[in-house]
Amino acid sequence: MEKDFEEIFQDKVDKEIKIEPKDWMPEKYRQTLIRQISQHAHSEIVGMLPEGNWITRAPNLRRKAILLAKVQDEAGHGLYLYSAAETLGITRDEMYDQLHTGKAKYSSIFNYPTLTWADIGAIGWLVDGAAIMNQVPLCRSSFGPYARAMVRVCKEESFHQRQGFEILLTLSKGTEAQRNMAQDAVNRWWWPSVMMFGPKDDESPNTIMSMKWKIKRFTNDELRQKFVDICAEQVKILGLTLPDNDLKWNAATNHYDFGAIDWNEFWEVVKGNGPCNKQRLDTRKKAWEDGAWVREAASAYAEKRKNKKAVKAA
Amino acid sequence: MNKKNLLDYTLHLADNALIIGHRNSEWCGHGPVLEQDIAISNIALDCIGQARNFYQYAAQLSVNDTSEDSLAYLRYTIEFKNCLLVELPNGDWGQTILRQFYFSTYQYFLYQQLQNSSDQQLAAIAEKALKEVTYHLRWSSEWVIRLGDGTEESKQRMEHAVDELWSYTGELVQAASYELLAVSEGYGVDLSTIKTKWEEKVRTVFEEATLTLPGNAWMQSGGKEGRHTEHLGFVLAEMQFLQRAYPGAEW
């Protein structure tokens, strides 16, 4: 019986028919998606913090408004994504709990600090750029609610990336101090961004199944290469350099070759030893704990209202 | 017409909107519920947007190289004309909500009348902003009621917020010299007409929130004339940091 369901399921996936929340799905598919979508949602929420760090110090009113709107967009993305995950049978509170206890992960990139205004540009250009590379294929995820959420997310993300690039472009055309600031930010954000695509293909055990289920369309290394190829060109427009001496065009492969990734750093940050892992998580927990009385009051008030209405109706 | 006075009047409107927008933006990423994080950021964005409209107009009224940014980023504490209320630290969510409620109530009645200003720019900005402020007022009223009439703890926190903020409310409806002149020149709003409306609205919402309205108390003032609390200096130090550290740079 189970076998038949599984065949029907895979047949739908193969034919690019979306799987919807009430459809039968393998338990492993459900669990993988909960992990994938909630991790993505957490990344949006934690991702608000490094950029939020510069809202009160944005250099002019236009930049201030754009940055605030951008970080607010990320909260909106978190909201769509939590909702998409909830259709799989987990509550938002449960997901928060997994985040706060460290059971659920979020993108390691947000465990790096934003030290100067140029970091806001570098995050937009590189981090959002890498995120888009990962996310565009997710608009075709076999799971309907996730795919639909991602269509909205991607539209806004590409806007963010252009803004980031524009920040760096302005800095690169500015004073020497501004150019230095821009180069320093690119130096610090480049390798962590390259790592955003995850482990090498031969160390990414879930890839084969995820590709079969069409919740992943390209391998980590394929996407990473695409990202490097694009950035290696764009950096020229900025008049800056990427911090990789081995980066060079390879006419035989039609791609850029690039240097070795420091996987030791990658795994250390995943394990919690990045420069800001503790601060990011503490900040999220504090916001949640400080808000407890507000949430309690809101539900107590809603309850009172319900009772009043019931009394009136009776 | 006294152009300097129109400028001061416009700057005062701009500074109020900017500083409360800046304070609210501090919540972004730290709100008690994701939906409310979005709401407070949205209100912050609206306020900063209003500030920009007023500053851009003020820049037109000023000497050549003045811009919205030079007005926001290169004036000193004593030149800022915002009310003390908006520069106060956020405190907890209840205090932020109450500050917003007091301020939105004021802005709502103010913009309602400013729409009829003889100055077409001010009237146009007010008309546009009123739509936003109508929502800010509804949102903040609902939260004052919810928290006032929520749990024991939320009530206590709201009572604390009332204690903290009440003495800063008088200044909202107490006219500064440039506001009086603005009224006599036909483009400003007569605050004495707003005072009663403000008190009425606050009384109604407090009643529903089961909160006690404070009696007569000493009211702090001075912000509108550039005499601020100690907090504004820190707000500006943070906000103006890049413009001060890299003079003349484009961003």
Side-chain angles (χ1 to χ4, degrees):
Chain A
M1 195 61 182
E2 180 95 339
K3 185 106 202 324
D4 293 344
F5 279 132
E6 192 143 2
E7 266 170 30
I8 297 168
F9 167 84
Q10 190 60 50
D11 189 47
K12 270 196 201 165
V13 170
D14 292 343
K15 287 180 176 150
E16 301 284 343
I17 298 168
K18 294 283 179 245
I19 304 300
E20 296 300 333
K22 286 186 176 146
D23 295 347
W24 187 91
M25 61 185 81
E27 194 47 30
K28 185 82 197 307
Y29 176 86
R30 181 186 300 276
Q31 291 311 326
T32 305
L33 272 167
I34 288 179
R35 186 170 50 82
Q36 188 186 13
I37 302 172
S38 68
Q39 189 169 318
H40 188 173
H42 297 326
S43 301
E44 297 284 353
I45 300 310
V46 177
M48 294 171 76
L49 302 174
E51 290 179 282
N53 184 32
W54 280 87
I55 291 172
T56 55
R57 289 178 290 170
N60 59 39
L61 293 172
R62 177 174 154 261
R63 294 287 185 206
K64 193 182 188 73
I66 291 175
L67 180 59
L68 179 53
K70 180 191 171 180
V71 180
Q72 190 202 27
D73 279 349
E74 280 153 16
H77 298 170
L79 208 53
Y80 315 151
L81 291 164
Y82 283 125
S83 304
E86 279 179 320
T87 66
L88 290 161
I90 185 168
T91 65
R92 210 201 292 181
D93 282 6
E94 285 170 324
M95 287 184 268
Y96 279 149
D97 191 57
Q98 292 178 348
L99 172 67
H100 297 157
T101 55
K103 189 179 166 228
K105 298 283 178 212
Y106 54 86
S107 179
S108 277
I109 195 78
F110 301 118
N111 292 317
Y112 290 87
T114 49
L115 303 179
T116 71
W117 171 251
D119 290 33
I120 301 306
I123 289 182
W125 176 45
L126 296 173
V127 176
D128 293 334
I132 291 168
M133 209 69 82
N134 269 324
Q135 289 169 3
V136 167
L138 294 175
C139 298
R140 294 189 291 131
S141 167
S142 60
F143 185 56
Y146 192 30
R148 290 187 289 271
M150 289 316 298
V151 172
R152 296 174 67 176
V153 169
C154 283
K155 274 186 196 151
E156 293 177 349
E157 286 297 347
S158 62
F159 190 53
H160 296 168
Q161 195 207 6
R162 280 204 298 275
Q163 285 162 355
F165 188 80
E166 204 248 322
I167 288 176
L168 288 180
L169 192 61
T170 307
L171 293 175
S172 72
K173 289 178 178 163
T175 63
E176 195 187 345
Q178 286 177 306
R179 275 195 303 281
N180 290 341
M181 193 191 280
Q183 183 63 59
D184 171 67
V186 170
N187 290 350
R188 281 181 290 109
W189 287 94
W190 172 248
W191 285 110
S193 301
V194 172
M195 293 178 200
M196 278 177 73
F197 297 91
K200 282 185 293 191
D201 290 348
D202 47 19
E203 284 169 25
S204 178
N206 300 323
T207 295
I208 295 172
M209 203 55 191
S210 295
M211 301 268 279
K212 188 180 170 216
W213 281 338
K214 301 201 172 168
I215 52 182
K216 195 167 181 173
R217 297 270 178 173
F218 300 98
T219 71
N220 296 354
D221 286 333
E222 283 169 347
L223 292 169
R224 187 170 7 247
Q225 184 65 57
K226 210 169 147 194
F227 175 72
V228 171
D229 288 347
I230 289 176
C231 293
E233 288 300 317
Q234 288 179 342
V235 77
K236 295 178 191 167
I237 303 170
L238 291 174
L240 301 173
T241 55
L242 297 174
D244 180 358
N245 293 329
D246 299 320
L247 185 76
K248 61 170 184 294
W249 178 250
N250 182 333
T253 60
N254 248 335
H255 288 293
Y256 275 91
D257 291 336
F258 55 97
I261 292 169
D262 182 355
W263 291 110
N264 187 39
E265 174 179 329
F266 174 81
W267 290 115
E268 283 306 319
V269 181
V270 170
K271 273 191 273 177
N273 298 324
C276 298
N277 291 61
K278 185 176 182 310
Q279 290 87 332
R280 299 292 184 242
L281 211 50
D282 286 352
T283 305
R284 280 312 316 159
K285 281 194 272 193
K286 183 175 187 308
W288 185 245
E289 283 158 16
D290 287 354
W293 71 272
V294 178
R295 297 189 299 274
E296 282 159 21
S299 34
Y301 178 74
E303 194 60 29
K304 282 186 199 175
R305 287 284 291 231
K306 216 167 71 188
N307 293 342
K308 265 188 205 163
K309 264 192 195 155
V311 170
K312 263 191 194 162
Chain B
M1 198 189 67
N2 183 332
K3 203 170 158 187
K4 165 80 170 56
N5 197 74
L6 177 58
L7 176 62
D8 282 348
Y9 189 73
T10 306
L11 281 175
H12 144 72
L13 296 171
D15 292 342
N16 267 344
L18 176 63
I19 301 300
I20 198 159
H22 179 95
R23 278 301 194 196
N24 285 337
S25 80
E26 292 172 11
W27 273 104
C28 185
H30 307 273
V33 192
L34 194 47
E35 285 82 348
Q36 301 311 325
D37 199 307
I38 295 174
I40 192 86
S41 302
N42 214 32
I43 291 172
L45 269 171
D46 285 344
C47 293
I48 292 169
Q50 291 168 20
R52 293 187 66 188
N53 288 332
F54 286 123
Y55 282 131
Q56 284 162 11
Y57 182 42
Q60 284 175 32
L61 299 169
S62 310
V63 287
N64 283 339
D65 57 347
T66 308
S67 66
E68 57 167 349
D69 289 323
S70 68
L71 292 169
Y73 288 83
L74 296 175
R75 279 183 306 142
Y76 298 105
T77 316
I78 52 168
E79 296 172 281
F80 270 72
K81 295 173 174 44
N82 58 280
C83 309
L84 302 176
L85 178 74
V86 297
E87 70 199 42
L88 299 177
N90 287 340
D92 64 11
W93 181 252
Q95 200 167 316
T96 296
I97 288 294
L98 187 63
R99 181 183 63 196
Q100 191 61 45
F101 169 64
Y102 287 152
F103 185 71
S104 294
T105 306
Y106 152 79
Q107 259 197 337
Y108 178 78
F109 294 121
L110 180 87
Y111 287 165
Q112 241 181 14
Q113 294 198 34
L114 195 61
Q115 291 182 107
N116 308 321
S117 169
S118 62
D119 186 286
Q120 288 186 354
Q121 281 288 343
L122 291 182
I125 298 171
E127 190 188 343
K128 182 169 176 281
L130 184 61
K131 294 191 187 86
E132 298 164 353
V133 172
T134 305
Y135 163 72
H136 304 169
L137 179 56
R138 200 184 73 206
W139 179 85
S140 57
S141 306
E142 285 170 1
W143 270 104
V144 169
I145 294 165
R146 201 173 280 136
L147 296 177
D149 192 20
T151 60
E152 260 316 298
E153 182 182 2
S154 71
K155 190 185 190 65
Q156 268 174 27
R157 283 176 181 266
M158 287 312 281
E159 282 167 350
H160 175 73
V162 172
D163 285 346
E164 288 289 309
L165 300 180
W166 185 251
S167 66
Y168 296 98
T169 57
E171 192 190 14
L172 291 171
V173 288
Q174 183 190 334
S177 53
Y178 49 82
E179 288 177 293
L180 292 172
L181 193 53
V183 175
S184 66
E185 293 201 333
Y187 55 82
V189 174
D190 182 356
L191 292 182
S192 63
T193 63
I194 287 184
K195 192 168 186 282
T196 333
K197 290 180 184 170
W198 187 90
E199 286 166 355
E200 247 173 55
K201 177 70 186 175
V202 171
R203 193 177 307 117
T204 315
V205 169
F206 268 41
E207 228 162 74
E208 207 179 333
T210 67
L211 290 169
T212 312
L213 203 65
N216 281 336
W218 171 256
M219 289 292 171
Q220 300 294 341
S221 63
K224 287 179 176 184
E225 310 274 6
R227 293 186 310 278
H228 291 277
T229 65
E230 290 178 343
H231 304 295
L232 186 66
F234 290 96
V235 169
L236 297 186
E238 192 171 338
M239 188 174 79
Q240 300 179 337
F241 149 66
L242 283 169
Q243 291 280 353
R244 300 286 186 196
Y246 302 87
E250 294 284 330
W251 301 92

